[in-house]
Amino acid sequence: MRSVPLFNAAGFATAVVGAPTDFQGEDGLGGFRTDPRHAKELGQVIADLRARTRGAVWVVGTSRGAISAANAASRLVAARRTVSLNRRPRWRQASRASCAAARTRACSYDGGMTVSDFTAPADVLVLQHLFEDGPGFLGEWLDAQGVNWHLRCAEAGEDYPASVRGYRGLAVLGGAWSANDERPTLRQAEALIREADALGIPVIGHCLGGQLMARAFGGKVDRLRQPEVGWLPITRLDSPAAREWLGDAVQPTVYQWHQDGFTELPPGAELLASSSTCAHQAFALRQHLAMQFHIEITPAKIKDWLETPGHAYPVHVLLHRNSVQDPASMNAATLRHQSGSEAMADGIYRAWRARWKA
């Protein structure tokens, strides 16, 4: 075995690898350096490597983190279970003080946007799960349209409202969590999505937000065979609804960062787009749109995510070269595709706004 540095970027692991097809090594062996906080995530990656290489997977060292990861992998293999690798968990525990400071900022947590005071009336409610996944271009678009909007961030300790009554639109953002995680705020988001449907309020979901919509309306969310990370093409279906929501481009390039997906659509939902890796990229149901991709993406969000991508990301780059971009390729693709993404987002958000109640 030999030590192979994966990338020269902060937060990336160093792997000891040797799977012939994936790592240009020998003996079908692979491993990671880890620590206890990453045990579940790396346990999943180790289990994946075992299946992929059909050989042993070693964890470097005898630290508590290494042992925990190896034990987690053994349990996953035995139980055939998975944990969420929906995106890059940061594995940071915000202190009460930092959460309180975030709440007083009254902003989108990714900067540059103006959010209405929650005590003042607003047309749109935006549900944010984690600090790192703010409204991005959605917030910029709402500001440009002169729309008053409220933002509630679960990680900041902000309670979601008990009802969406009085709003004209509901937007649900993404996040590193799985839609299937047993988190009270996820279940509350689903309840608000169902209430919005009953009240005729259009809902738009981004990545995790789209997955929560699928669950709320009776669909199913599962882990996909391989992740999608970076700028990747999707294929728009040739239907009036698909053109109305997603525009005229047949194969637009959109930004992805997910491992889970809505594998079964809700009853009555219409598929709008797919990709070679993820069969269900977007669906429409009544006045709602659920997307698996990040149409709200901005270069600032990409930079933030690449700074702390999670330990699974560099391994996925090696395992899934056709669906996971390395940082250099991703940054180059951002220069090519960001303007097209924003143009597509403008059309999507206009179609969403057209469905708001007067």
Side-chain angles (χ1 to χ4, degrees):
M1 293 186 293
R2 59 194 180 91
S3 178
V4 181
L6 299 181
F7 303 106
N8 293 322
F12 284 9
T14 297
V16 178
V17 295
T21 57
D22 295 311
F23 303 111
Q24 300 176 353
E26 55 190 355
D27 300 327
L29 303 174
F32 316 86
R33 293 186 181 133
T34 183
D35 68 57
R37 293 175 300 167
H38 306 142
K40 283 188 177 180
E41 184 186 21
L42 285 180
Q44 180 66 71
V45 176
I46 293 166
D48 288 349
L49 276 175
R50 283 181 177 173
R52 182 71 178 261
T53 64
R54 301 179 184 275
V57 178
W58 296 75
V59 181
V60 177
T62 58
S63 67
R64 184 162 57 94
I67 294 170
S68 297
N71 289 340
S74 297
R75 289 193 297 272
L76 288 166
V77 170
R80 296 186 179 181
R81 292 174 55 242
T82 62
V83 296
S84 170
L85 295 176
N86 204 39
R87 222 182 48 243
R88 73 277 113 232
R90 268 194 175 174
W91 303 105
R92 59 183 175 82
Q93 296 180 347
S95 66
R96 290 186 179 183
S98 65
C99 284
R103 284 196 294 273
T104 63
R105 286 202 299 268
C107 71
S108 70
Y109 306 106
D110 57 7
M113 284 161 275
T114 56
V115 184
S116 302
D117 186 318
F118 204 73
T119 61
D123 291 325
V124 172
L125 173 65
V126 179
L127 300 182
Q128 179 174 338
H129 307 287
L130 299 170
F131 290 128
E132 65 184 26
D133 211 333
F137 184 76
L138 170 62
E140 296 175 12
W141 187 88
L142 290 170
D143 285 350
Q145 297 294 311
V147 175
N148 291 326
W149 53 291
H150 288 158
L151 176 76
R152 304 304 279 175
C153 177
E155 190 179 12
E158 297 173 344
D159 294 331
Y160 291 165
S163 173
V164 292
R165 189 178 296 275
Y167 291 106
R168 300 173 67 193
L170 172 63
V172 188
L173 300 175
W177 298 336
S178 167
N180 298 321
D181 286 349
E182 289 305 320
R183 297 178 183 272
T185 56
L186 296 182
R187 302 293 80 80
Q188 187 179 3
E190 291 173 355
L192 292 174
I193 289 167
R194 286 189 291 267
E195 185 199 24
D197 180 55
L199 295 174
I201 298 171
V203 184
I204 190 166
H206 308 70
C207 197
L208 172 59
Q211 295 168 10
L212 292 171
M213 290 175 65
R215 278 180 46 106
F217 294 139
K220 187 176 181 181
V221 175
D222 276 319
R223 190 162 180 263
L224 303 178
R225 289 172 52 189
Q226 63 187 79
E228 288 185 308
V229 181
W231 292 96
L232 301 166
I234 60 173
T235 300
R236 175 187 58 75
L237 273 65
D238 188 17
S239 69
R243 287 191 294 273
E244 184 178 358
W245 275 111
L246 304 182
D248 294 330
V250 177
Q251 281 198 316
T253 297
V254 296
Y255 190 82
Q256 310 267 11
W257 200 315
H258 68 102
Q259 174 78 71
D260 296 352
F262 26 89
T263 53
E264 292 183 13
L265 299 184
E270 179 179 352
L271 182 65
L272 304 182
S274 63
S275 71
S276 59
T277 302
C278 179
H280 301 144
Q281 284 285 349
F283 70 81
L285 180 62
R286 294 181 286 279
Q287 69 271 30
H288 315 300
L289 174 68
M291 299 169 287
Q292 185 54 74
F293 47 91
H294 285 275
I295 200 61
E296 87 296 349
I297 199 64
T298 63
K301 290 184 73 167
I302 295 173
K303 179 178 182 293
D304 185 40
W305 294 353
L306 283 177
E307 286 177 354
T308 53
H311 279 52
Y313 170 63
V315 179
H316 284 158
V317 170
L318 297 176
L319 286 177
H320 307 293
R321 292 187 180 94
N322 63 327
S323 66
V324 179
Q325 291 177 336
D326 62 76
S329 298
M330 189 185 300
N331 288 329
T334 299
L335 297 177
R336 296 194 303 271
H337 298 300
Q338 181 65 40
S339 61
S341 175
E342 292 180 5
M344 184 177 178
D346 177 72
I348 288 172
Y349 293 147
R350 288 180 184 277
W352 172 53
R353 187 179 185 180
R355 290 162 170 79
W356 297 359
K357 286 186 174 182

